[in-house]
Amino acid sequence: MGAGVDEMPEFSAHLKIRNLEVGGAEGHLAARLYAVAPDAGKRDTLIVFFHGGGFTGGGLDEGDLFLRHLADENTSSVVLASTYTLAAVKPFPAAVEDAHAVLQWVKKHKAKLGWTGKRLLVAGIEAGANLAAVCTLMSRDRGGPALAGQILIMPMLDPGLSTCSMRDMQHGQELLEVADACAAAYRGYLPNAADRIHPYASPLQSSRLKNLPPALILSTEDDPLRDEAEQYGAKLMSCGVKTTVTRMPPAPLHETGARNECACKRYALGEIASFIAGLERADTAATG
């Protein structure tokens, strides 16, 4: 990436960012590693993050500011952002197969990432949050890798666009544009209509949500995706999955980059830090 990517003086001088390649389902994928340089030893927690962009666009720079904050404020964690195959190149299930392959890759390359292999979390924003949620299903169904938690930020979970918030918010022009963008994204990602009910494409419609890792789900007050995020949280809870659902205040989500800006500035970082700390305390209690 360009030199400017690494020049953010407002962050800790010890924040280190490194570009690398990881293994996807059918080849190498660009990735970026974020960590505050440790005094000694490796970190116990690795967060694998997938960017937004409606399955059809986006890349490592989309979530860069958010991930700098995330790594800077969670110094016991390493954060790895990975790309995935976009729908214009190959539609579903290419992206989710990539995402799951990345999780398998990180378990085999712990030393390269400065990670002990103890706790693996998966996270994402918007379309990336869909992939993160689906990865928990795939890891359960395919026997690993074991996941300690999932962080879903304003997730796209319902290709049917059937929730009340998705329908009701279409009356405002700005939010109508968001809803239209979601519809266009799903047309590109799921050109085969039958795939729209597949649990690996539409986790909200899945009837098998037991035995999944603890979840933190962040919705936003005036986001058309709000209800599907909160409904998914309710379904996880009903299946016995420890789940925290937080609705963040309104934000100008129609603006370019606003989802990542919202994630940085609207309480999300604090919620994520508390979630990770809770997982760490639970591990300590279980082994202590």
Side-chain angles (χ1 to χ4, degrees):
M1 302 297 167
V5 170
D6 295 324
E7 297 173 0
M8 294 287 287
E10 65 267 38
F11 295 99
S12 166
H14 299 291
L15 178 62
K16 305 299 181 184
I17 301 169
R18 177 162 57 95
N19 294 319
L20 67 158
E21 287 187 335
V22 298
E26 297 184 359
H28 296 300
L29 298 168
R32 190 174 291 166
L33 190 68
Y34 302 77
V36 174
D39 294 330
K42 299 175 181 178
R43 256 57 64 85
D44 286 335
T45 301
L46 174 67
I47 305 167
V48 176
F49 175 89
F50 299 109
H51 63 79
F55 304 104
T56 59
L60 295 178
D61 290 340
E62 247 67 28
D64 184 70
L65 179 61
F66 167 65
L67 297 177
R68 288 170 184 261
H69 282 292
L70 183 62
D72 207 32
E73 297 188 19
N74 294 275
T75 57
S76 63
S77 302
V78 183
V79 180
L80 178 74
S82 176
T83 56
Y84 47 87
T85 300
L86 298 178
V89 177
K90 187 179 289 187
F92 175 84
V96 292
E97 293 293 348
D98 274 342
H100 185 250
V102 170
L103 299 184
Q104 295 174 311
W105 185 92
V106 300
K107 292 293 287 187
K108 297 176 182 177
H109 297 83
K110 297 186 289 291
K112 186 173 185 178
L113 302 172
W115 173 50
T116 64
K118 185 173 182 180
R119 264 185 306 276
L120 176 59
L121 280 68
V122 64
I125 288 178
E126 188 220 48
N130 174 294
L131 301 183
V134 171
C135 274
T136 69
L137 305 180
M138 298 173 80
S139 293
R140 178 200 61 193
D141 297 345
R142 298 180 179 183
L147 295 171
Q150 53 181 313
I151 300 169
L152 313 181
I153 305 169
M154 295 175 283
M156 296 177 67
L157 301 170
D158 177 29
L161 307 176
S162 59
T163 64
C164 290
S165 63
M166 183 62 69
R167 294 195 305 270
D168 293 347
M169 292 185 187
Q170 293 182 19
H171 300 302
Q173 182 58 38
E174 293 170 349
L175 294 174
L176 176 60
E177 291 173 2
V178 176
D180 286 346
C182 289
Y186 281 124
R187 285 195 297 272
Y189 183 53
L190 302 167
N192 181 355
D195 287 336
R196 296 196 170 209
I197 59 173
H198 195 294
Y200 290 175
S202 179
L204 181 61
Q205 303 306 322
S206 175
S207 60
R208 297 180 59 249
L209 296 177
K210 292 184 178 181
N211 302 315
L212 296 177
L216 172 64
I217 301 177
L218 302 178
S219 65
T220 303
E221 177 67 34
D222 59 349
D223 186 7
L225 297 170
R226 182 196 66 209
D227 285 0
E228 60 200 77
E230 296 175 3
Q231 288 174 19
Y232 191 62
K235 289 189 71 171
L236 289 176
M237 290 181 209
S238 71
C239 291
V241 178
K242 186 176 181 180
T243 303
T244 300
V245 180
T246 298
R247 183 184 294 185
M248 297 184 289
L253 296 180
H254 61 283
E255 294 179 3
T256 301
R259 292 178 184 279
N260 296 314
E261 289 296 310
C262 176
C264 287
K265 298 175 181 177
R266 302 278 184 170
Y267 307 108
L269 287 166
E271 292 288 337
I272 292 170
S274 296
F275 178 70
I276 294 171
L279 296 176
E280 292 172 347
R281 286 194 300 271
D283 279 354
T284 299
T287 57

